[in-house]
Amino acid sequence: MNFVHRYFGATSASSDALSTALAFAPDLLREPTYFVGKVRRHLPFREAISALHHVVVSDLRFKPKDRTAYFAWLKDHEEQLLAEAVAERGAVRERIDALRVEFADIHKLSSEIMRPFYGAQKRYFDWLYQNNRDAWFVLDPVITVHPDEVFFECFSLDESTYGRLSCDHDVFERVEEMACGTTNIDYSHALYDEFQKIRSYRDTSLTIEPSGFEVQTAGEANFREEKIDLPDSWMRGFLQVSSAMAQPAHVVDLAPVDMHAILSRLAAKRERHGPRSLRFLLEPDKPVEVLIEPWNDRLTFRRSIYKGSEPAEIRIWGRRRLAILERALPLAKSVRLHLLGSGLPSFAVVDYGGLRFTLGLSGWTANDWSRAGQFDLLAPRTEVDETTAQKVFDALKGQHFATVPELAFETGLDRSIVAGALGLYVQAGRAMYDLDKGVYRLRELVRDPLKPGALRFSSEQEEKADRFVAARLVTIGSVDTREGKRVVSGEVMDDGKTHHPRLVIDADDRLSTAACDCWFYGHNKLMRGPCEHMLALRRLYHLEVEGKPRAFRAEGVA
């Protein structure tokens, strides 16, 4: 995907003995979005926005060593060994030696000619890393201004870590100018050094520059236009984060000192073999226990009591990414973990009181959010016509944020219809689920809404499921209702073999658990999302059971 951003000037920061001013340059090609406020809680803001910066620059992908020189040396010696092996006669050997000398001279001459180029190339990349690291970033962060808060969102370089900083308006002494909306902001790496200059005795102002929208765009020299070739994975990553946030999860409240204990233990040791997971042992009304593998160090947090109704044992991988929270903990009031399940994404919300930093981790470091699991496929899949969906979106747009019951009351629609419509807009990048406050928010991720077919199939499994249903290879076996949940079982014919998926759909129309006897589920469970057979069965269930009148259900399907 190609995106064009046009900024008026560039993001700037200035500091003196009495004040610090942070001015972010917004994208002029989007609807006017601006904010001017004076920060009241200086230190929490500094630590939280510094943690957000650590997300932006984080890249924990495996980086193999540069073995170019080694292979060049090996190649030279292979030629030498080969020459020695075939040189059976003196004359041939002399000829080979002469050619080897000639080749060495040519190689030396080539190295001398190319040395200035390679040296200049190395100096350029060294300079680029030291002076303009922004060129290494994929995309500028996204900022949204709402009636109740301002929040920043970003992804790490490896796309496995999501960061969100939300600031209630109470964080600011006063809010002078504001226009609600979402925009990309020009983000400079040098800002991090300016963040460190924020002090409690200095006035700190946060400005998303409104004046840029008042300047004519013709013939100016201050406008800077950037064209970014954005991979689909970045877009899908944002969609997956919002969908994953809306999924049911085990909520664990930790004291900041308890989270720090986990990070300290990880920093003190370096694992040399697996397993490399954090194992959360959760018992209702008992202290939270964490087992750190592979050393089996057990930490019991008596300040942190698990309030869930059912016991659980959850393992999370990619735990080194939690080190991003280290700096954010000293001033925090609480840390709340949302654990979706073993091998599934997790979220940590660090609360400062009016200011919150959310860290979202994919299932493991090597699996970015785009591939971590198709959580948009676990969301409500209710069929909603375009007129009804637009009605829900207009209600959300009027309030900027609301819960499903609030929107259902305002629109007069059933909650399942509202939830289905919101799910569609989340998957289209026009809305998001706010894990902090439990509401849906208007957030136009891109300037122009995505075309319906742009990201139609976000996984190979969904595309296969669509073909199964179209070819009538799916049949529903039984539908039972247990404790408000629908248990659906059936059969799917795939390449001459019959598979037997089983789904459990909760009252909110979310796929809470599922199982299948196929290879994909056997190797991945739900860590990479549902398999094609589960998706096909669910789609047919919504089409034939919930899409038909009650007379159809009486014929043995329900």
Side-chain angles (χ1 to χ4, degrees):
M1 292 184 179
N2 289 318
F3 289 86
V4 178
H5 301 301
R6 179 177 295 172
Y7 301 111
F8 179 70
T11 292
S12 62
S14 60
S15 300
D16 56 32
L18 299 177
S19 64
T20 298
L22 305 175
F24 293 93
D27 184 1
L28 300 186
L29 297 180
R30 305 189 66 162
E31 292 185 3
T33 300
Y34 53 85
F35 181 88
V36 179
K38 186 177 180 181
V39 178
R40 178 170 59 89
R41 304 190 61 200
H42 302 77
L43 299 186
F45 179 81
R46 181 189 69 193
E47 300 306 305
I49 202 167
S50 297
L52 190 74
H53 169 84
H54 291 319
V55 174
V56 174
V57 301
S58 174
D59 187 358
L60 297 180
R61 290 172 293 190
F62 173 72
K63 302 176 183 63
K65 295 181 179 179
D66 184 3
R67 306 181 67 187
T68 304
Y70 167 73
F71 285 120
W73 175 88
L74 183 61
K75 182 178 180 180
D76 291 342
H77 282 70
E78 284 179 341
E79 293 177 354
Q80 179 181 355
L81 294 174
L82 180 61
E84 292 176 353
V86 299
E88 298 179 355
R89 297 181 180 179
V92 175
R93 182 171 301 170
E94 291 178 0
R95 177 60 179 162
I96 291 175
D97 290 341
L99 291 175
R100 185 181 298 121
V101 172
E102 182 180 356
F103 174 78
D105 292 339
I106 295 175
H107 179 73
K108 183 179 180 180
L109 180 61
S110 174
S111 299
E112 291 178 354
I113 294 175
M114 295 300 295
R115 184 179 296 111
F117 169 76
Y118 291 132
Q121 185 183 59
K122 183 179 185 300
R123 289 193 299 274
Y124 168 72
F125 284 112
D126 290 343
W127 176 89
L128 190 67
Y129 182 77
Q130 295 295 333
N131 298 280
N132 188 18
R133 297 188 192 182
D134 306 336
W136 298 75
F137 299 159
V138 175
L139 191 72
D140 291 321
V142 176
I143 189 170
T144 302
V145 179
H146 271 193
D148 64 325
E149 68 176 37
V150 179
F151 58 92
F152 300 78
E153 295 177 277
C154 68
F155 264 118
S156 62
L157 286 173
D158 57 14
E159 298 183 15
S160 72
T161 307
Y162 164 83
R164 180 175 183 264
L165 170 61
S166 56
C167 307
D168 291 346
H169 289 179
D170 293 342
V171 174
F172 303 92
E173 290 184 8
R174 63 177 182 272
V175 177
E176 299 176 0
E177 298 181 77
M178 182 179 69
C180 295
T182 300
T183 183
N184 296 89
I185 58 170
D186 173 47
Y187 183 86
S188 170
H189 184 89
L191 279 177
Y192 179 75
D193 296 330
E194 296 300 326
F195 295 156
Q196 311 316 305
K197 299 177 183 179
I198 296 176
R199 298 292 186 272
S200 58
Y201 55 83
R202 287 177 176 169
D203 292 337
T204 301
S205 61
L206 174 66
T207 303
I208 304 168
E209 185 59 50
S211 62
F213 298 98
E214 302 170 2
V215 181
Q216 297 296 321
T217 60
E220 75 287 354
N222 289 330
F223 286 101
R224 179 169 56 86
E225 186 171 288
E226 293 185 357
K227 294 182 179 180
I228 299 176
D229 185 10
L230 183 65
D232 290 349
S233 61
W234 184 89
M235 178 62 67
R236 286 201 184 103
F238 263 102
L239 307 187
Q240 295 300 329
V241 167
S242 294
S243 297
M245 284 182 172
Q247 300 305 311
H250 298 274
V251 178
V252 180
D253 289 312
L254 290 179
V257 67
D258 294 337
M259 175 57 74
H260 188 270
I262 296 176
L263 301 182
S264 298
R265 191 63 62 91
L266 290 175
K269 296 183 178 181
R270 177 65 63 177
E271 61 275 9
R272 297 185 180 275
H273 58 82
R276 298 176 174 88
S277 72
L278 286 179
R279 188 190 297 264
F280 285 84
L281 309 175
L282 308 176
E283 293 286 344
D285 299 322
K286 291 185 178 181
V288 175
E289 293 187 350
V290 175
L291 193 67
I292 304 179
E293 299 176 321
W295 314 291
N296 292 327
D297 293 347
R298 183 183 294 264
L299 304 178
T300 302
F301 304 128
R302 304 194 181 280
R303 305 178 187 84
S304 306
I305 306 300
Y306 178 58
K307 299 298 183 182
S309 59
E310 298 180 355
E313 182 175 321
I314 300 174
R315 299 172 70 186
I316 64 173
W317 283 267
R319 59 195 185 186
R320 295 288 175 184
R321 294 172 292 173
L322 289 172
I324 293 174
L325 297 176
E326 185 174 8
R327 181 168 177 178
L329 293 177
L331 299 177
K333 293 186 176 180
S334 64
V335 178
R336 171 165 289 185
L337 301 180
H338 298 258
L339 308 177
L340 272 64
S342 294
L344 300 180
S346 57
F347 298 90
V349 181
V350 181
D351 191 357
Y352 297 89
L355 190 148
R356 294 162 301 279
F357 173 73
T358 301
L359 182 70
L361 307 179
S362 60
W364 57 95
T365 306
N367 203 12
D368 60 48
W369 271 102
S370 176
R371 297 174 293 172
Q374 307 304 324
F375 294 98
D376 54 334
L377 306 181
L378 302 178
R381 307 297 281 184
T382 306
E383 294 291 336
V384 183
D385 61 84
E386 184 176 350
T387 302
T388 302
Q390 187 63 44
K391 183 178 180 180
V392 175
F393 184 76
D394 291 341
L396 178 63
K397 192 172 183 179
Q399 302 181 36
H400 288 90
F401 63 94
T403 63
V404 170
E406 289 172 348
L407 292 176
F409 178 79
E410 181 174 347
T411 59
L413 300 172
D414 186 80
R415 291 189 180 186
S416 62
I417 298 296
V418 173
L422 291 173
L424 293 176
Y425 284 110
V426 167
Q427 295 157 31
R430 307 193 68 187
M432 64 163 291
Y433 184 76
D434 185 348
L435 188 66
D436 303 345
K437 298 182 178 179
V439 298
Y440 282 90
R441 291 187 178 274
L442 178 71
R443 194 260 273 123
E444 299 277 5
L445 191 57
V446 294
R447 180 174 66 253
D448 300 319
L450 294 174
K451 295 180 180 179
L455 297 172
R456 180 185 178 189
F457 299 119
S458 56
S459 70
E460 180 183 356
Q461 286 68 42
E462 188 176 15
E463 186 174 2
K464 288 181 179 179
D466 191 70
R467 294 202 301 265
F468 291 151
V469 174
R472 300 182 182 276
L473 299 176
V474 189
T475 57
I476 298 176
S478 63
V479 180
D480 300 324
T481 301
R482 304 173 186 174
E483 300 178 353
K485 297 181 178 180
R486 292 153 289 172
V487 182
V488 184
S489 60
E491 296 181 350
V492 179
M493 181 67 69
D494 181 5
D495 196 20
K497 183 177 181 180
T498 302
H499 295 283
H500 303 84
R502 181 177 179 274
L503 316 176
V504 179
I505 304 174
D506 65 14
D508 294 323
D509 205 29
R510 297 177 299 192
L511 188 62
S512 58
T513 60
C516 186
D517 56 2
C518 68
W519 178 92
F520 184 87
Y521 176 79
H523 283 70
N524 302 296
K525 304 306 178 185
L526 288 176
M527 291 186 291
R528 295 181 66 89
C531 69
E532 56 267 31
H533 312 111
M534 301 175 190
L535 297 176
L537 179 61
R538 176 171 182 170
R539 183 166 298 180
L540 185 67
Y541 169 75
H542 285 301
L543 288 174
E544 292 192 354
V545 179
E546 296 193 337
K548 295 288 185 178
R550 293 183 180 273
F552 177 82
R553 302 189 185 191
E555 296 175 1
V557 180

